[in-house]
Amino acid sequence: MTTIDFTAEVEKRKDALMADLFNLLRINSAMDMEHADAENPFGPGPRKALDAFLEIAERDGYKTKNYDNYVGHFEYGEGDETLGIIGHLDVVPAGSGWDSNPFEPEIREGNLYARGASDDKGPTVACYYALNILKELNVPLSKKIRFIVGTNEETGWADMDYYFEHCELPLPDFGFSPDAEFPIINGEKGNITEYLHFAGKNAGSVVLHSFKAGLAENMVPESATAVISGAKNLQVALEKFVAEHVDKNLRFDLNEEDGKATITIYGKSAHGAMPEKGVNGATYLTLFLNQFDFADGAAAFIKVGSEKLLEDHEGEKLGIAYVDDLMGNTSMNAGVWSFDEATEGKIALNFRFPQGNSPERMQEILQKLDGVVEVELSKHLHTPHYVPMSDPLVSTLIDVYEKHTGLKGYETIIGGGTFGRLLERGVAYGAMFEGEQDTMHQANEFKPVENIFKAAAIYAEAIYELAK
């Protein structure tokens, strides 16, 4: 039985932890494929964040390995079994609506504001310091620990595909990802994006020249912009529309010149795993446009958005809804939208689905939608994942959580996807506490500073209990 006061050990390292975290948060590590190359597979930002993290580990005496700027890892300790800890350093795009620079971290009223503070640089650094406490105290362990950091978690997991293909070591035997919430995430729904393709045609008296919305498939689009021609009295119509949906706090911009009108509708972003927490600007823009005389592909694109996707987060209007007794419902986020009159229209539907539902079932149903010319499945598929409560990994992590919080632990199954599911015996564990506001993927993302330190203490004891 350990007598280490992990909370006190974290207290001694608070300043160092925050200094390292601030340095990582200052790096805009959102994917940037426009500037990607062989040395920067997801753009310069994710690479820079990986370099910075591995420099911290080397400073502290770990022997690191960088897998061609996709993923980095280091190992600590000896043993026949390996405990894996898997975090990520990439972030979703900052988007608009911030009260401060998203890449210049600020502490206000006890909260640390920055893109990545909560997802996932804050928790990853807390976990790193937890392991470092065991190393600095030279605590005897019977298992090897492998700390892995990825750079493409938010947009495709190509980092981990590369890692598993090129890593010369066997996979960890069990482990966790500090990229969700306490007490534990031991079940995750499947995850697939299905792309609806429409003809980029117009034949009505009103023409849709273009439509654009969404920064990532796993984010609710905060805003959407359409360029149209042939519609009259748009200012009055938009004012009436916003007034009719005052409960959604919609805003609009309108610019009319050279016979074309550019309309932007603003809603509210949210994580794609919980689309009901946002206001999808794209669906509301299609609802506004649906009153006008569009035809062909443009009309089909607008009708699907306004009549099938608006305020339907489980796919009931589409006919793809499915509920499982253990894992719950299917959720849907219409995350990225595009329409070009010269080419095509496209809507990316990101589904989080339970056991019993399947991508092929949903694809077959979606292909019957009026005006949809093709339904394409993303190459990136996660099948449903579950580790039972009886597994010692789960029971140990819940015990540590209960000890540190005084709260009762319980199992949770989510629609979000974490790196925990990469291991057959893998879960997600923290770092968001019960009652803590979830600001992941939103403007003004923040993490309460004290909860970063509290999580670090929990992680330290958890690693000790799993590897002692």
Side-chain angles (χ1 to χ4, degrees):
M1 193 72 182
T2 179
T3 56
I4 302 168
D5 185 340
F6 287 108
T7 301
E9 293 299 330
V10 171
E11 182 77 24
K12 297 173 190 172
R13 297 163 175 83
K14 281 165 73 167
D15 291 345
L17 188 161
M18 292 304 283
D20 285 339
L21 177 54
F22 267 54
N23 286 337
L24 286 168
L25 291 171
R26 288 191 178 104
I27 300 167
N28 179 351
S29 53
M31 185 173 77
D32 176 13
M33 295 311 287
E34 191 180 335
H35 298 100
D37 54 34
E39 290 296 306
N40 302 277
F42 309 112
R47 152 83 186 278
K48 190 177 176 188
L50 180 60
D51 286 345
F53 184 88
L54 295 180
E55 282 170 15
I56 291 168
E58 285 165 8
R59 174 200 70 195
D60 293 336
Y62 299 102
K63 185 181 177 185
T64 68
K65 178 150 185 179
N66 181 338
Y67 287 84
D68 298 322
N69 301 320
Y70 283 77
V71 179
H73 81 199
F74 62 84
E75 290 194 324
Y76 174 70
E78 297 296 331
D80 295 333
E81 280 190 290
T82 300
L83 163 64
I85 300 169
I86 316 176
H88 71 90
L89 301 169
D90 59 310
V91 295
V92 296
S96 60
W98 286 75
D99 297 331
S100 55
N101 182 341
F103 298 106
E104 186 48 59
E106 281 187 19
I107 296 175
R108 302 195 300 271
E109 297 179 357
N111 295 319
L112 172 60
Y113 287 84
R115 178 56 92 217
S118 183
D119 182 17
D120 183 42
K121 292 175 182 174
T124 297
V125 172
C127 216
Y128 171 79
Y129 266 80
L131 174 59
N132 222 30
I133 287 169
L134 300 177
K135 175 176 176 287
E136 289 177 357
L137 296 179
N138 202 24
V139 176
L141 302 174
S142 66
K143 296 179 179 67
K144 195 179 291 179
I145 297 160
R146 190 185 313 167
F147 203 110
I148 308 167
V149 283
T151 60
N152 185 232
E153 194 271 350
E154 298 290 3
T155 42
W157 295 29
D159 52 349
M160 289 301 162
D161 292 341
Y162 191 90
Y163 181 68
F164 291 148
E165 193 178 325
H166 293 85
C167 183
E168 68 287 356
L169 303 171
L171 284 179
D173 298 281
F174 62 103
F176 67 87
S177 175
D179 186 24
E181 56 202 63
F182 291 117
I184 200 165
I185 305 295
N186 59 312
E188 297 185 15
K189 295 177 186 178
N191 189 330
I192 186 77
T193 298
E194 308 209 1
Y195 303 95
L196 309 184
H197 291 266
F198 302 81
K201 292 181 180 176
N202 285 274
S205 61
V206 181
V207 173
L208 179 62
H209 300 285
S210 67
F211 188 107
K212 195 165 183 55
L215 296 170
E217 292 167 5
N218 61 350
M219 290 175 74
V220 175
E222 177 200 27
S223 65
T225 299
V227 179
I228 68 171
S229 59
K232 298 192 170 28
N233 301 319
L234 284 170
Q235 180 73 29
V236 173
L238 281 161
E239 288 172 358
K240 179 171 180 275
F241 179 77
V242 167
E244 286 170 349
H245 299 92
V246 66
D247 59 317
K248 300 299 179 184
N249 291 315
L250 299 176
R251 295 181 295 112
F252 73 87
D253 288 335
L254 172 64
N255 181 43
E256 297 181 272
E257 60 179 284
D258 300 329
K260 290 183 177 178
T262 302
I263 305 165
T264 302
I265 294 277
Y266 298 91
K268 179 190 173 192
S269 185
H271 196 299
M274 292 159 282
E276 68 281 357
K277 293 189 175 182
V279 178
N280 191 316
T283 59
Y284 277 94
L285 180 51
T286 57
L287 180 63
F288 173 75
L289 294 175
N290 201 32
Q291 65 187 290
F292 299 107
D293 181 28
F294 293 95
D296 284 349
F301 180 88
I302 289 165
K303 281 184 181 297
V304 167
S306 60
E307 297 176 9
K308 301 292 186 184
L309 302 178
L310 178 78
E311 294 300 339
D312 185 358
H313 310 300
E314 298 183 15
E316 289 184 1
K317 295 176 192 170
L318 291 171
I320 57 89
Y322 188 97
V323 180
D324 171 72
D325 288 343
L326 173 69
M327 290 194 145
N329 67 337
T330 298
S331 72
M332 176 189 71
N333 178 52
V336 180
W337 305 53
S338 62
F339 186 93
D340 184 328
E341 62 181 328
T343 53
E344 66 162 5
K346 188 175 175 183
I347 303 174
L349 302 179
N350 181 236
F351 293 104
R352 316 296 172 107
F353 62 95
Q355 56 192 12
N357 197 359
S358 73
E360 293 76 20
R361 170 187 171 267
M362 295 187 286
Q363 181 186 32
E364 188 178 335
I365 294 168
L366 293 171
Q367 281 170 338
K368 296 171 183 170
L369 286 171
D370 285 347
V372 171
V373 296
E374 182 194 356
V375 179
E376 171 197 1
L377 299 185
S378 68
K379 296 179 178 65
H380 184 60
L381 165 67
H382 292 306
T383 54
H385 172 79
Y386 181 70
V387 183
M389 289 282 279
S390 57
D391 190 296
L393 167 67
V394 178
S395 56
T396 299
L397 292 176
I398 284 182
D399 287 347
V400 172
Y401 166 81
E402 290 179 342
K403 176 182 173 182
H404 279 260
T405 64
L407 300 170
K408 181 73 178 157
Y410 51 87
E411 74 172 348
T412 311
I413 296 164
I414 61 164
T418 76
F419 279 164
R421 72 189 307 148
L422 291 166
L423 305 175
E424 191 175 333
R425 290 181 63 216
V427 299
Y429 187 55
M432 193 169 76
F433 288 89
E434 292 181 81
E436 184 179 319
Q437 186 180 342
D438 181 3
T439 57
M440 297 183 196
H441 294 208
Q442 298 175 41
N444 297 311
E445 176 184 344
F446 72 83
K447 180 81 180 164
V449 173
E450 283 307 313
N451 283 1
I452 296 173
F453 302 139
K454 189 175 175 183
I458 290 175
Y459 287 140
E461 186 145 355
I463 295 167
Y464 171 77
E465 288 295 334
L466 290 171
K468 66 183 180 183

